[in-house]
Amino acid sequence: MLERNSFLTPIRILIFSNRVEFHSPGRLPNTVSIESIRMGASHVLRNPRIYSFFVRMGLVTDIGSGVARIIKLVKESTGKDVILEETEGEFILVMPRRGQ
């Protein structure tokens, strides 16, 4: 069976009334775990193109700190936790929406 090329598969953003889901194709690199992402200790660029774009716009601080900031801000805003999940073919981040 041929392995799906995650570089050709687009990132999907799904918007629901109670959450927003980000589906990024491919598995996490060997040195990265969901726990290390939660702590902001992950320093492997998953999407260098997106990172480069945000650097040019001045929207990036430190590599690996984005998801930890998302977790903190979502918890402060909604009182709910962000869900991080890895499946066979993608990494998923689920952000609950306010008031749901």
Side-chain angles (χ1 to χ4, degrees):
M1 180 196 316
L2 292 176
E3 185 174 323
R4 182 171 78 171
N5 186 338
S6 62
F7 292 109
L8 299 177
T9 306
I11 294 171
R12 295 177 296 137
I13 301 172
L14 308 172
I15 301 172
F16 300 94
S17 63
N18 64 339
R19 70 191 184 283
V20 177
E21 297 183 5
F22 297 85
H23 293 248
S24 185
R27 298 193 53 111
L28 294 173
N30 289 340
T31 59
V32 177
S33 68
I34 287 180
E35 194 54 41
S36 68
I37 292 171
R38 283 190 178 283
M39 296 183 330
S42 170
H43 302 290
V44 176
L45 286 176
R46 245 180 94 65
N47 291 297
R49 287 183 180 167
I50 291 173
Y51 178 76
S52 176
F53 176 74
F54 284 143
V55 166
R56 287 193 303 271
M57 292 182 64
L59 298 173
V60 177
T61 54
D62 298 319
I63 294 175
S65 67
V67 175
R69 280 195 325 255
I70 289 169
I71 291 168
K72 177 182 180 278
L73 293 171
V74 167
K75 183 70 168 185
E76 289 172 0
S77 176
T78 67
K80 298 178 183 175
D81 293 319
V82 167
I83 297 168
L84 303 175
E85 178 182 350
E86 182 180 23
T87 68
E88 282 299 315
E90 62 187 358
F91 174 70
I92 303 167
L93 183 144
V94 180
M95 293 185 348
R97 295 179 75 175
R98 247 187 302 213
Q100 301 297 320

